[in-house]
């Protein structure tokens, strides 16, 4: 299972000498060899110094424009608190908390250098706590600023709670952030993250969800703007009957890089996951990346899992990378499937709509809106659905 | 009273082996209120004629003309043709994920009429047509053609025809894949549209079965890209008994 193969590192002109750097990452075997490993065994550490410098052939960085994210993967970051606004209803609260809060680290452990850098650098974490039946919180951030920063956000849905957290991001950013999502037993939580950053913003985030017994998490990430936006959600289903739905929606314009590395770990019996990411790309140099890992571990009896990624390329010069991976370590599962399709606009759809009198540009909009609308329809919060419909509409009007 | 006139139409289609000549000089005149059945063996060019009328980009008109009341149809884009009053009920309707039937119908109606329909009467019209076609109300909230059965797709095509009220409709093998009940329902829809709007119909079919429910005024037999024979409804009866063999005695028999 873990037969060593020569890693990409060993083939570079100037191979990294692991004996001379104080990095613990990629040092398995001691010879610059990285074994084929199960996804859950990827190196993780809270300390940025345990990670080696980021180079293009690291699996977790190979698609990312490294020069643009360099301020976040190098030196320590400004981890001070930032301005935000919050609106809460029911049993929801939003507050800063210190690094010694016992909940920090319950869901996450960084797996890449930017994430570890953010973890090492943040001074206080912003915590959203949900209790009771109808808790909801909207946290808005638009004054992060263009200086390199770190942040830590923790969302805690307490046992048996039902709630919704909306995180709105806008304005300038050069930000690395960890988002921990703790869904305690029998809680039902929806998290919707909207990225409407300034056009030159750079944002790298790792989301870590820990889903308890009988608990449910719906996680939606929507990216419409920003220069480089990379959101890597991980969901750990370690207790019986935990469920996650992970949705992503993105629209990449010329020169924009939008990336998602999704990991679902079925590590308890009778857990269920659905992953659907859909993106549209238009313009020269528009680039999207989706890597979807699903691991059904030895404890994952009765797992039901399906992941898919679909990309619609609306013009030449755009590129969508899509890599689904599925690992299964138990024979006793209900179902596991994955699908990935990236294609150009379907001319037959266009013909069909035009043959009903609908002009070409409107037909095109209808198809794209419909394509992305499938994810919007899943959100289940009418006010956000309407807002996203309008945002997609605006995006299409700009591109047309 | 409108007239759709096809004169000496030559059409080729792009294939991997280069352009292939399909229609080799088609002449046809259809007036409002008339039903013309186009019959013929597979590969004779029936569907090519349908797609060419609608303006599918895959089909290249080499020569000849198509006019609608004197207007040059070949100069029009696909959507312009539809707005001019041409409708193609497709043999293989396309799925449009995430676009509901109700949204699609309203968008199309608005495009055809040049203004949005009055909401109340529109909803009433849609419901009446759906009821007539024995379509469940929930149908309107499903995505266009997604997960539709063969019969549902064809009903949906006829529903659009009833609501968009074209001057001429081309029905491309609308009968294929329908059971008898569905065939009756769909045929009733076509007959209704003809009565209420004086629709001219070009009914393309391989089989005579549908002609029991939709009575043609004229029957044209298509063979190898041309009209090989034409006549009244009695020609269909003859085809029912004899098939297409007598037209295929030449080199065309595969």
């Amino acid at each position: 299972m873990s037969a060593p193969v020569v890693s990409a590192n060993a083939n570079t002109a100037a191979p990294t000498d692991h004996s001379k750097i104080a990095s613990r990452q990629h040092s398995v075997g001691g010879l610059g060899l990285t074994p084929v490993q199960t996804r859950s065994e990827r190196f993780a550490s809270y300390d940025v110094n345990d990670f080696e410098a980021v180079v293009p052939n690291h699996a977790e960085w190979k698609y990312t424009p490294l020069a643009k994210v360099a301020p976040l993967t190098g030196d320590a970051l400004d981890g001070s608190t930032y301005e935000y606004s919050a609106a809460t209803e029911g049993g929801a609260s939003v507050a800063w908390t210190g690094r010694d809060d016992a909940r920090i680290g319950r869901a996450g452990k960084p797996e890449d250098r930017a994430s570890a850098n953010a973890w090492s650098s943040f001074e206080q974490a912003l915590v959203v706590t949900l209790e009771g039946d109808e808790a909801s919180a909207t946290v808005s951030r638009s004054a992060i600023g263009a200086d390199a920063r770190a942040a830590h956000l923790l969302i805690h849905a307490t046992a048996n709670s039902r709630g919704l957290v909306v995180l709105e991001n806008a304005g300038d950013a050069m930000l690395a952030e960890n988002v921990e999502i703790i869904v305690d037993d029998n809680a039902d939580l929806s998290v919707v993250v909207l990225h409407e950053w300034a056009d030159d913003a750079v944002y790298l985030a790792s989301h870590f969800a820990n889903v308890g017994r009988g608990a449910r998490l719906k996680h939606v990430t929507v990216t419409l703007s920003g220069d480089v936006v990379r959101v890597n959600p991980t969901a750990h289903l370690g207790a019986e009957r935990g469920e996650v739905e992970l949705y992503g929606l993105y629209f990449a314009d010329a020169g924009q890089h939008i990336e998602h590395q999704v990991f679902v770990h079925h590590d308890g019996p009778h857990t269920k996951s659905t992953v659907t990411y859909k993106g549209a790309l238009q313009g020269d140099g528009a680039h999207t990346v989706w890597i979807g890992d699903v691991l059904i571990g030895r404890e994952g009896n009765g797992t039901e899992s399906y992941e898919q990624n679909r990309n619609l390329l609306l013009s030449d010069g755009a590129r969508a990378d899509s890599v689904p991976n599925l690992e299964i370590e138990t024979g006793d599962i209900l179902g596991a499937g994955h699908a990935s399709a990236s294609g150009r606009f379907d001319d037959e759809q266009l013909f069909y709509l035009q043959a009903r009198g609908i002009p070409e540009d409107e037909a095109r909009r209808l198809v794209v809106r419909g394509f992305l609308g499938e994810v919007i329809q899943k959100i289940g919060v009418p006010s956000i659905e309407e807002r996203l419909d309008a945002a997609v509409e605006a995006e299409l009007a700009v591109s047309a | 009273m409108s007239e759709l006139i096809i004169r000496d139409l030559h059409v080729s289609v792009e294939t991997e082996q280069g352009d292939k000549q399909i229609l080799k000089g088609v002449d046809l005149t259809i007036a409002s209120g008339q039903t013309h059945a186009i019959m013929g063996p597979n590969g004779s060019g029936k569907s090519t004629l349908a797609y060419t009328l609608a303006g599918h980009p895959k089909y290249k008109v080499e020569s000849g003309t198509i006019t609608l009341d004197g207007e040059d149809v070949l100069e029009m884009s696909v959507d312009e043709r539809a707005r001019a009053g041409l409708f193609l009920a497709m043999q293989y309707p396309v799925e449009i994920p995430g676009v509901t039937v109700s949204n699609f119908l309203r968008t199309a109606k608005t495009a055809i009429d040049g203004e949005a329909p009055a909401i109340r009467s529109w909803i009433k019209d849609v419901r009446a047509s759906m009821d007539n076609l024995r379509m469940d109300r929930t149908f309107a909230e499903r995505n266009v053609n997604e997960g539709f059965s063969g019969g549902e797709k064809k009903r949906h095509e006829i529903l659009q025809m009833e609501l968009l009220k074209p001057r001429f409709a081309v029905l491309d093998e609308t009968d294929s894949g329908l059971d008898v009940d569905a065939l009756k329902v769909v045929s009733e829809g076509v007959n209704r549209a003809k009565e209420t709007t004086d629709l001219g119909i070009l009914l393309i079919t391989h089989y005579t079965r549908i002609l029991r429910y939709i009575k043609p005024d004229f029957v044209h037999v298509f063979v190898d890209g041309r009209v090989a024979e034409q006549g009244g409804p009695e020609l269909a009866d003859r085809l029912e008994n004899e098939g297409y063999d007598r037209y295929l005695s030449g080199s065309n028999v595969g």
Side-chain angles (χ1 to χ4, degrees), chain A residues 278 346-360 362 366-367 369-371 373-374 377, chain B residues 51 54 56 78-79 82-83 87-88 90 94-99 104 107-108 111-112 145-146 157 160:
Chain A
K278 294 188 105 175
D346 183 349
D347 290 335
E348 292 302 321
Q349 292 182 336
L350 210 56
F351 173 72
Y352 188 74
L353 294 170
Q354 283 189 265
R356 300 305 179 243
I358 301 167
E360 183 180 341
E362 198 183 344
L366 203 60
V367 170
R369 218 170 44 196
F371 174 80
E374 277 191 309
Q377 286 167 8
Chain B
Y51 278 112
H56 194 288
V78 175
D79 47 301
R83 292 198 295 275
F87 181 89
L88 170 62
M90 301 202 197
V94 182
E95 292 182 7
I96 320 272
V99 178
F104 165 62
T107 306
I112 296 273
N145 293 320
E146 205 178 49
E157 293 294 291
Q160 295 166 50

Side-chain angles (χ1 to χ4, degrees), chain B residues 30-41:
Chain B
I30 307 158
S32 297
Q34 294 179 345
T35 299
H36 293 245
I38 307 272
M39 306 194 62

Side-chain angles (χ1 to χ4, degrees), chain B residues 198-223:
Chain B
D198 204 28
L199 177 69
I201 297 168
L202 200 58
L203 180 69
I204 292 174
T205 182
H206 186 78
Y207 303 103
T208 54
R209 191 174 64 145
I210 193 172
L211 303 182
R212 278 178 232 156
Y213 305 101
I214 302 173
K215 292 290 173 205
D217 303 301
F218 304 92
V219 175
H220 312 265
V221 182
F222 246 56
V223 179

